[in-house]
Amino acid sequence: MWVVWMVGCMSGTELTEDAKTDLTWSADVAAVVGERCAGCHQPEGLGGLPLVTYDDVFAARSAVRAAVQSGRMPPWMPSEECTSYVGDRSMSAEDEATLLEWIDGGAPAGDAAVVATTPTGPTLRADAVLPLPQGYSPQLAPDDYRCQLLDWTPDDEVFVTGAEVQVDRQDLVHHVIAFVIAESAVELYEGLDQDEPGPGWTCYGGPGGTAVTEDLELSDILAGNVGDALAVRTVASWVPGKTDVLLPEGTGLAMSPGERLILQMHYNSPAPDPGPDQSSLVLQLDDDVPRPAAMVALLDPAWVLDIPALGDPMQIPAGESDVRHSTTVDVDGLFFRSARERLGLAEDASYEVHTVGHHMHTLGTQGTVRILHDDGTDSCLLDIPDWDFDWQGSYTLRQSVVVSPGDQVQLSCSWDNSEGTEDVYWGEGTADEMCLGSLMVTEAR
Ligand code: HEC
């Protein structure tokens, strides 16, 4: 690059005086930043850091360098060695090299200050736009996790075939998870709302409502009624910049009359009370779909329930930096049972796995979901080598995977509790942990 700089100076080309690279914003870098960064880093965007114009990026270049080189940005947790996903936000090694070399070379503008383009992903049909019932101004800073029960239930059975969030306050909303709750659980959540002042209630690991899990008896678990007893399932997760807002072609998640939605909002704000946010959940709905889907939760009941007969709890001892727990879920076992019943399938059904999700809290460091096939082979569905709670979500597989009776789904989680003074266990609170996986499945073709 030194040579290029000399040539640039001597021949008096458009290179700026101290430029040590022939890469320019206009010719090489604007496209990369436009595609990989600008979608989230708009002037009103989160993090208060616009990365749209040359001036924006030039001014922030050392922070940009640090964020890209450390792998923090663009945010994308799954390892590419596992499998590939729709809407992958990661940056190619080539684009990363271009950006870093340009910054190190003095970040020259080039011919003209080209404005970066904003990427556009597939969009959904807005069949239902469901606002939070009340605007909420986060009371806790920097992080406030707040749930509200939406005022909506379908008139007839419908299928959710796409979901995204229409964000009201782009500077505050970090991630959103939409849960469906059974009609029987509505009263419980209304109670949580009433017990806390202000709109909605504080929630963290899930929509709250641990009372439901406390009522769960060993007999329920052995009978496979876990899903019904928890009475809650995830229907969508959203982060800024998410492009895979449509469910895989032909699939949809059913919602029945009486069932309700809870939106869990993660607000991130430098100071408390930044003013209200009233974002909306946007759903694409279809009366019928060729491939009805259902969610399968992955966990070990012994982690959640204090029933010694089930096995050991999910203990994460204080002072330990590398604690791992894992479990396997049988495809013909109880966790697939509620999906099987929902989809009306036989005990020996095979399933096609379309999406995979993983959830831990902030002590989490690594997580995986794999299929251990009956024939001894395995399929990697998700491998997160460096967990970041802020970017949790679910991932749509480019290539779906078929699982059959005899196969097992293996979920693993690792945590670092070296700074902790108390052992940590499963729970919904910020000081608790979870190890929870999810799959969206249809009947195999
Ligand atoms: C999916 C949305 C998204 C994309 C894409 C994205 N960012 Fe960010 N970025 C954020 C958010 C949100 C924050 C605020 C801090 C956080 O939550 O991690 C942030 C923070 C930052 C920061 C300041 C804090 C830090 O971690 O250093 C820099 C610098 C940054 N981003 C650079 C970039 C660059 C460069 C790109 C493209 C290569 C990029 N970002 C792509 C969402 C995004």
Side-chain angles (χ1 to χ4, degrees):
M1 280 311 104
W2 184 244
V3 175
V4 174
W5 174 67
M6 300 277 287
V7 171
C9 285
M10 287 185 301
S11 62
T13 64
E14 72 276 7
L15 289 180
T16 48
E17 238 179 285
D18 57 351
K20 300 182 194 70
T21 174
D22 53 358
L23 297 171
T24 67
W25 169 259
S26 312
D28 311 285
V29 179
V32 173
V33 173
E35 196 186 339
R36 294 294 161 199
C37 319
C40 295
H41 288 277
Q42 288 290 304
E44 301 299 313
L46 210 53
L49 183 73
L51 294 177
V52 179
T53 64
Y54 171 72
D55 289 344
D56 292 342
V57 179
F58 187 81
R61 65 193 185 285
S62 63
V64 165
R65 183 178 212 301
V68 169
Q69 201 169 33
S70 67
R72 262 194 332 276
M73 292 288 147
W76 182 254
M77 293 198 288
S79 158
E80 63 184 28
E81 276 148 44
C82 178
T83 183
S84 56
Y85 308 93
V86 178
D88 185 339
R89 281 194 301 271
S90 60
M91 190 150 77
S92 69
E94 196 186 333
D95 284 352
E96 182 175 328
T98 301
L99 182 58
L100 296 182
E101 186 185 317
W102 173 75
I103 292 172
D104 291 343
D111 294 340
V114 177
V115 174
T117 51
T118 307
T120 49
T123 48
L124 46 72
R125 215 175 52 231
D127 295 319
V129 179
L130 312 171
L132 290 168
Q134 288 178 273
Y136 174 70
S137 175
Q139 298 300 303
L140 306 169
D143 297 296
D144 194 339
Y145 302 88
R146 195 79 180 180
C147 280
Q148 289 195 51
L149 187 61
L150 302 185
D151 278 329
W152 181 79
T153 188
D155 296 332
D156 296 298
E157 187 178 67
V158 286
F159 290 88
V160 175
T161 53
E164 71 178 346
V165 176
Q166 214 171 65
V167 176
D168 175 17
R169 289 286 302 268
Q170 282 187 34
D171 56 333
L172 300 179
V173 178
H174 200 299
H175 80 246
V176 182
I177 300 176
F179 299 96
V180 176
I181 55 159
E183 193 169 6
S184 60
V186 171
E187 215 175 306
L188 173 95
Y189 290 102
E190 283 172 344
L192 292 180
D193 191 349
Q194 277 150 22
D195 290 347
E196 232 179 279
W201 65 97
T202 301
C203 57
Y204 179 71
T210 39
V212 183
T213 36
E214 278 159 19
D215 288 345
L216 198 59
E217 301 287 342
L218 181 59
S219 56
D220 283 326
I221 301 159
L222 297 177
N225 292 333
V226 184
D228 293 341
L230 293 173
V232 52
R233 56 189 199 272
T234 311
V235 71
S237 65
W238 183 89
V239 290
K242 184 178 171 87
T243 55
D244 53 331
V245 295
L246 295 177
L247 268 58
E249 183 69 34
T251 69
L253 285 164
M255 240 189 111
S256 306
E259 290 186 324
R260 298 275 292 275
L261 288 155
I262 290 174
L263 271 201
Q264 181 193 48
M265 308 292 299
H266 171 193
Y267 294 110
N268 185 267
S269 163
D273 209 9
D277 164 72
Q278 195 169 9
S279 295
S280 303
L281 177 68
V282 182
L283 297 179
Q284 176 174 298
L285 300 169
D286 285 283
D287 294 341
D288 207 3
V289 293
R291 311 197 69 199
M295 299 302 296
V296 177
L298 308 171
L299 69 146
D300 182 338
W303 294 341
V304 189
L305 304 160
D306 194 11
I307 302 173
L310 287 175
D312 293 331
M314 193 184 82
Q315 184 184 24
I316 305 169
E320 290 196 20
S321 62
D322 191 12
V323 182
R324 185 170 181 273
H325 286 285
S326 71
T327 190
T328 50
V329 165
D330 293 332
V331 170
D332 39 8
L334 63 88
F335 283 98
F336 274 81
R337 179 168 157 168
S338 62
R340 185 157 64 234
E341 284 171 0
R342 191 167 279 280
L343 301 176
L345 304 181
E347 295 258 334
D348 60 352
S350 291
Y351 304 84
E352 203 170 319
V353 180
H354 299 273
T355 75
V356 53
H358 198 290
H359 177 70
M360 299 180 281
H361 295 173
T362 51
L363 296 180
T365 54
Q366 292 179 345
T368 61
V369 181
R370 312 181 141 270
I371 309 291
L372 310 179
H373 295 285
D374 203 16
D375 64 4
T377 59
D378 70 20
S379 311
C380 184
L381 297 188
L382 186 65
D383 178 3
I384 296 179
D386 190 6
W387 170 257
D388 180 346
F389 177 79
D390 284 350
W391 293 104
Q392 63 175 309
S394 71
Y395 303 93
T396 305
L397 303 172
R398 271 193 195 284
Q399 193 78 54
S400 60
V401 174
V402 172
V403 294
S404 304
D407 296 345
Q408 292 183 311
V409 188
Q410 184 194 56
L411 168 76
S412 80
C413 295
S414 299
W415 297 270
D416 178 356
N417 194 19
S418 54
E419 306 276 296
T421 52
E422 283 179 42
D423 292 1
V424 172
Y425 293 90
W426 182 286
E428 291 246 345
T430 44
D432 304 319
E433 274 295 334
M434 283 195 184
C435 179
L436 183 62
S438 64
L439 302 177
M440 193 189 90
V441 301
T442 57
E443 181 179 17
R445 280 197 269 234

